[in-house]
Amino acid sequence: MNRRVAQGCILGARDTQEDAVLVVGDDQSGVDGDLLLVLADGMGGHSAGEIASETAIEVFARHFHDVATSLRPRERLKEALEAANDALAAQVAEAPELGGMGCTLIGALVASGRLVWVSVGDSMLFRLRDGEIKRLNEDHSVFGELMNHVRSGDLTLEEAKAHPQRHALRAALTGGEIAQMDLAAITVEAGDIVILASDGLETLEEAEIAEIVENAREAGPETIVRDLLAAVEARGAARQDNASVIVLSVDAALAAKAGPVADEGEAKTTRPGWRTVAIGLTAMLGVAVAGASLFGAEEAVMPPVSELEQPGTQTAGQEATTDAAPAAGAEPADADPGTLDASQVDIAVQPATGTGPGDETGRP
């Protein structure tokens, strides 16, 4: 039994569940091997959210394992993400009634003392070390970009939280062009706790998440998952979104850097043989917001945040960029010689269409 990692999902105040989580391990060394963690938050109406999230994580993991040609982790993750996006496009082409479905996605590989990830959307990746919590990945919602304006002094935090379009997604997997992508890596240490979470966990402040983790650290990941989700439910938010988490406790085996990481110039000579350690797929019917499906056929294209009405700012005409300031509390990713850097990814930065779960969540 793998006691280093656990996952869980709750419905919240919804009647349906559109989150999906997957944890995959290394056959060659059993539970002591590398780990691939994948989380997706689906959207689209009817059963489309379930289909989008489940399809995305399954295709992502399969492509990473069996199809990706690069031996560098970052490039394999990027290839897997693009394959998942292509799979959604293929499904919509075969079943037009699924048009408008999409999902967020985080794929994180923990190997040879490093955490390497790719993410699109507003699902969250945290690292807790010595009682401090840091968000590692970018927030591709309007709120995430508003926070860049808060850090630059153009907006106050209160104005950002009150923005009427703060929950709209700037990027997601929809089968179309991926507007924004976060692709980076950091080192990990024994004792680190890594958390992947859908935006339903945003009902809790980061300080609350850190406190819950520290209180349950000795009991292990299963208890941390249970306590985090119990805290969300106890909050009783009237419009609480689905909430899903994967919690990994980094031990000495995962933190050990047995050899050069592929991203550091020496590619591994063999692909890891992955086996499913734990899988949690929970999805039912999609959720409509204000009577229209998310990412639906009649959605409005989101303009850059700088073109949205913002009190106290005059930045019309600016466009979002992939090298925006890190999310609040985010830690700068390690720079690896000869690796694929986020700034080198040739992705046209343009607004994604539609909104995320938005004000159907328990977020402020």
Side-chain angles (χ1 to χ4, degrees):
M1 179 178 181
N2 191 331
R3 299 183 184 278
R4 296 182 306 177
V5 63
Q7 71 288 315
C9 305
I10 59 171
L11 283 173
R14 302 288 185 86
D15 295 326
T16 59
Q17 174 63 275
E18 297 178 307
D19 290 354
V21 298
L22 177 66
V23 178
V24 182
D26 185 352
D27 270 342
Q28 296 178 354
S29 53
V31 297
D32 291 328
D34 302 341
L35 291 171
L36 179 68
L37 316 174
V38 192
L39 179 146
D41 181 355
M43 58 203 76
H46 304 295
S47 61
E50 170 190 6
I51 294 170
S53 60
E54 184 170 346
T55 297
I57 67 168
E58 290 180 345
V59 172
F60 183 96
R62 183 170 64 248
H63 192 94
F64 183 90
H65 167 220
D66 294 325
V67 183
T69 56
S70 175
L71 295 179
R72 294 186 173 189
R74 294 194 198 195
E75 293 184 20
R76 291 179 74 83
L77 290 169
K78 179 176 178 286
E79 285 185 42
L81 184 79
E82 292 169 342
N85 192 52
D86 290 344
L88 298 187
Q91 284 192 317
V92 172
E94 293 178 4
E97 65 274 15
L98 296 177
M101 75 175 180
C103 65
T104 69
L105 188 141
I106 301 176
L109 175 70
V110 186
S112 301
R114 297 180 67 75
L115 170 66
V116 190
W117 72 87
V118 65
S119 69
V120 172
D122 61 355
S123 294
M124 300 170 288
L125 177 64
F126 294 111
R127 188 209 64 192
L128 290 96
R129 177 183 292 170
D130 299 328
E132 295 186 3
I133 184 169
K134 289 183 179 293
R135 178 164 182 171
L136 300 175
N137 66 329
E138 289 286 337
D139 180 353
H140 295 151
S141 69
V142 167
F143 184 75
E145 194 172 341
L146 288 169
M147 287 303 297
N148 290 332
H149 289 276
V150 171
R151 285 187 288 275
S152 66
D154 297 326
L155 280 178
T156 66
L157 179 59
E158 290 69 26
E159 287 170 333
K161 288 183 174 181
H163 199 290
Q165 292 173 303
R166 64 192 180 280
H167 296 307
L169 286 179
R170 303 285 296 161
L173 300 187
T174 63
E177 188 170 14
I178 302 174
Q180 292 177 308
M181 178 188 299
D182 195 40
L183 183 62
I186 63 166
T187 57
V188 291
E189 299 177 1
D192 286 352
I193 300 292
V194 174
I195 298 176
L196 284 69
S198 63
D199 65 349
L201 191 65
E202 289 187 354
T203 298
L204 305 178
E205 298 291 339
E206 289 186 8
E208 294 177 275
I209 296 172
E211 182 179 3
I212 290 169
V213 170
E214 290 307 313
N215 288 340
R217 177 184 286 273
E218 293 302 319
E222 289 187 6
T223 300
I224 294 173
V225 168
R226 183 198 66 200
D227 291 355
L228 285 172
L229 296 179
V232 170
E233 290 189 309
R235 191 59 51 85
R239 309 177 83 177
Q240 174 63 49
D241 194 6
N242 308 144
S244 298
V245 295
I246 301 173
V247 174
L248 170 68
S249 177
V250 178
D251 58 14
L254 278 176
K257 198 168 184 179
V261 181
D263 268 6
E264 295 181 321
E266 295 187 29
K268 294 181 180 178
T269 56
T270 59
R271 296 179 183 175
W274 301 95
R275 68 180 172 81
T276 299
V277 175
I279 183 168
L281 298 175
T282 50
M284 297 178 224
L285 298 177
V287 178
V289 176
S293 65
L294 302 171
F295 292 97
E298 299 181 359
E299 75 278 17
V301 175
M302 281 301 304
V305 167
S306 55
E307 295 179 8
L308 300 176
E309 243 184 82
Q310 297 177 35
T313 68
Q314 295 293 329
T315 52
Q318 285 186 338
E319 293 188 359
T321 60
T322 51
D323 58 354
E331 175 175 292
D334 293 350
D336 295 323
T339 68
L340 182 67
D341 188 271
S343 63
Q344 298 171 312
V345 181
D346 185 18
I347 298 174
V349 179
Q350 62 184 37
T353 56
T355 64
D359 49 8
E360 295 290 326
T361 73
R363 292 191 282 186

